[in-house]
Amino acid sequence: MAVSKSGGGGTLRDLQLALQLKIEELRQRDSLIDELELELDTKDDLIRQLQVELDRQRSASRHAANAAETPSTAPDEPQRMKRQAISAEPTAMDPSQLTDVTLKSYGKNKDELIQRALMDNDFMKHLEHGQILTIMDCMHPTSLTKGCCVIQEGDDGSTVYVLEEGMVEVTKQGKKLCTIGPAKVFGELAILYNCTRTATVTALTDIKLWAIDRQGFQTIMMRTGLIKHSQYMDFLRSVPSFQSLPEDILSKLADVLEETHYSDCDYIIRQGATGDTFFIISEGQVKVSQQDSPGDEQVVVKTLAKGDWFGEQALKGE
């Protein structure tokens, strides 16, 4: 009986302790949820502005590609012009102005760190590899001492930073959000559109940064975008299945092409799998092999190189 009572009392105390721990855990979770909601709000703003910027860049690309032709009257053109007009950027850079902007290269000792930071960033990682390398090449160095303010909440922003050395603290309305260490990007919203800073970033130690402003970033994006669009158009014109398509349709197809990288010996398409993607080779070679029946060895049919294509039948049906 004594053992039974002692056990019962112990269980109650355990439950009370567990309840207290659970309450504290819930409080911590509530705090984390608040931080995550704040981060989601920032991401939502970024996504909206990215969509506006994407439409603006596509509109500029088509304008440059068809400068000698009569302006298109396609049904979606008014919609694109309207979306361009609501861009937070007060003026759009005309393609003819690209030659007036000089991009300067800066030597760097930690190319891998900067490249890794850009590739790990939620926005930058969606850029093409060539664009990443050009942005990295044009970033200029800057150093600040401990306690200096890198970004002030509410100020107009036009620069994105990569932290190479030191630590910084991010606060919003006086509340600490996080600390950032080397190989991280911050301030990227400023290169997308003319906006005020959404948080304050302060140096916790002496820091070394690499930076690029909005004009430099947009010049790189438009130059590489126009070059890439022209290359995509040439590729599409070389595909027999697309040679009968009008230029405006080819231009729209070029807009939606995405660059994908594969390592040596990676499988791109497997025989028997459902196909839904069309590929054009921009660099490297692709080996095409076929298996007559299960259990047989793969037989190499051909080797494809730059300018060749495969998988176009997937666009017509499964």
Side-chain angles (χ1 to χ4, degrees):
M1 182 66 67
V3 173
S4 176
K5 288 182 179 180
S6 176
T11 300
L12 179 58
R13 287 194 295 272
D14 288 343
L15 288 175
Q16 291 173 338
L17 178 60
L19 180 59
Q20 292 174 356
L21 292 174
K22 182 59 68 176
I23 292 174
E24 180 61 28
E25 181 182 345
L26 289 174
R27 288 175 180 171
Q28 293 177 358
R29 288 186 179 181
D30 288 341
S31 177
L32 177 60
I33 289 173
D34 291 339
E35 294 182 7
L36 291 175
E37 287 179 343
L38 180 61
E39 183 178 351
L40 283 174
D41 290 341
T42 303
K43 299 287 186 182
D44 287 341
D45 290 339
L46 174 60
I47 290 172
R48 285 193 293 269
Q49 296 304 324
L50 280 173
Q51 185 61 54
V52 173
E53 181 68 15
L54 178 61
D55 287 330
R56 188 174 69 83
Q57 297 285 1
R58 287 177 174 174
S59 178
S61 297
R62 285 196 303 276
H63 173 76
N66 302 304
E69 301 178 3
T70 302
S72 172
T73 57
D76 65 339
E77 192 64 27
Q79 180 186 9
R80 289 188 181 277
M81 293 301 294
K82 180 179 180 182
R83 297 188 73 170
Q84 180 181 349
I86 65 172
S87 172
E89 191 67 53
T91 57
M93 183 183 297
D94 189 89
S96 63
Q97 299 174 338
L98 293 179
T99 56
D100 299 332
V101 180
T102 301
L103 296 175
K104 184 178 179 180
S105 298
Y106 296 85
K108 300 172 177 65
N109 296 324
K110 296 186 177 180
D111 285 1
E112 292 184 2
L113 180 145
I114 301 172
Q115 184 175 346
R116 185 173 72 251
L118 296 175
M119 295 295 291
D120 288 343
N121 180 261
D122 287 342
F123 162 62
M124 296 290 189
K125 68 183 180 183
H126 296 292
L127 301 180
E128 294 180 355
H129 184 66
Q131 293 172 327
I132 290 287
L133 294 180
T134 306
I135 291 170
M136 181 179 68
D137 187 52
C138 294
M139 298 190 90
H140 62 269
T142 183
S143 298
L144 295 173
T145 57
K146 179 181 178 180
C148 287
C149 181
V150 186
I151 291 175
Q152 178 62 52
E153 182 180 354
D155 286 354
D156 292 333
S158 63
T159 307
V160 62
Y161 300 94
V162 172
L163 182 60
E164 180 181 326
E165 296 178 3
M167 298 284 293
V168 298
E169 181 181 72
V170 182
T171 59
K172 185 175 181 65
Q173 298 179 350
K175 180 181 179 181
K176 178 180 176 180
L177 297 182
C178 64
T179 57
I180 298 176
K184 293 295 182 182
V185 175
F186 59 91
E188 62 267 35
L189 284 178
I191 60 174
L192 302 178
Y193 63 105
N194 187 17
C195 66
T196 57
R197 297 293 193 179
T198 58
T200 296
V201 179
T202 307
L204 294 177
T205 64
D206 292 347
I207 59 174
K208 182 175 181 180
L209 301 161
W210 292 93
I212 187 170
D213 61 19
R214 187 188 311 124
Q215 184 182 46
F217 173 81
Q218 291 188 350
T219 299
I220 292 171
M221 295 302 294
M222 290 195 69
R223 283 182 181 176
T224 57
L226 290 175
I227 293 172
K228 186 64 67 175
H229 186 274
S230 177
Q231 292 174 345
Y232 286 169
M233 289 289 288
D234 290 340
F235 277 138
L236 292 173
R237 291 189 190 103
S238 70
V239 180
S241 299
F242 294 160
Q243 287 177 352
S244 62
L245 296 178
E247 287 291 295
D248 61 331
I249 299 298
L250 288 178
S251 179
K252 290 180 179 180
L253 286 175
D255 283 341
V256 299
L257 286 180
E258 297 179 1
E259 185 173 299
T260 305
H261 295 262
Y262 294 90
S263 300
D264 187 22
C265 295
D266 281 352
Y267 283 97
I268 303 174
I269 291 176
R270 286 185 181 271
Q271 182 177 348
T274 301
D276 61 0
T277 308
F278 166 62
F279 298 88
I280 303 174
I281 303 173
S282 60
E283 292 182 12
Q285 294 183 331
V286 171
K287 180 177 68 176
V288 182
S289 59
Q290 195 171 37
Q291 188 180 44
D292 292 334
S293 59
D296 291 347
E297 292 186 1
Q298 293 279 348
V299 178
V300 176
V301 178
K302 66 176 73 173
T303 299
L304 305 177
K306 181 178 180 179
D308 291 331
W309 62 89
F310 56 96
E312 69 272 19
Q313 294 299 320
L315 301 182
K316 301 178 181 179
E318 294 187 2

